Amino acid sequence: PTLRWTLSATWSKGPWQVGYLTQYIDEVFQPQILDSDGNAWLVDAMQTHNLYGQYTTDQLLARRSTFRLGARNLTDEDPPLADGGTGAYLGGLHQPVGRYLYASVSFSL
């Protein structure tokens, strides 16, 4: 791709933290595959968004306890079709992972 970037931001206030990450991969051509007009197959661009919220305290169970809720690929973006639209994707560029919600708890004693 001509353009590929990642942007992340984190905001903290007291025990609270919010994080955001977005990744963008520009469109690419597959010259070995031709569309119906005889042009190189165009694999569309892809952008994903990740978000989490976190709370950290030293008042529970351990010296430091952290609770995090988050989502990866928040908008449930599918990888763009490659290989002439056969349903395949470019594994070296894109990941076929849908929206992923998670929760984690960590303690340090």
Side-chain angles (χ1 to χ4, degrees):
T2 304
L3 181 63
R4 186 176 186 162
W5 53 263
T6 300
L7 172 73
S8 66
T10 305
W11 172 85
S12 298
K13 182 161 178 92
W16 295 98
Q17 184 176 51
V18 175
Y20 171 76
L21 175 116
T22 184
Q23 295 178 319
Y24 175 82
I25 301 170
D26 204 6
E27 60 192 16
V28 295
F29 286 99
Q30 279 190 288
Q32 68 275 22
I33 307 290
L34 302 178
D35 65 15
S36 59
D37 295 327
N39 300 313
W41 182 263
L42 178 65
V43 178
D44 291 332
M46 180 178 185
Q47 184 171 9
T48 58
H49 306 274
N50 302 339
L51 182 67
Y52 74 87
Q54 177 176 297
Y55 180 78
T56 303
T57 181
D58 59 0
Q59 304 298 313
L60 300 172
L61 305 177
R63 188 174 64 195
R64 185 177 181 96
S65 303
T66 302
F67 304 89
R68 180 182 281 199
L69 295 174
R72 294 189 180 118
N73 193 3
L74 189 61
T75 57
D76 201 21
E77 182 80 15
D78 288 327
L81 294 178
D83 295 328
T86 61
Y89 63 93
L90 295 176
L93 287 178
H94 305 111
Q95 300 297 319
V97 178
R99 182 180 303 117
Y100 178 84
L101 304 176
Y102 67 92
S104 68
V105 178
S106 63
F107 304 101
S108 59
L109 302 174

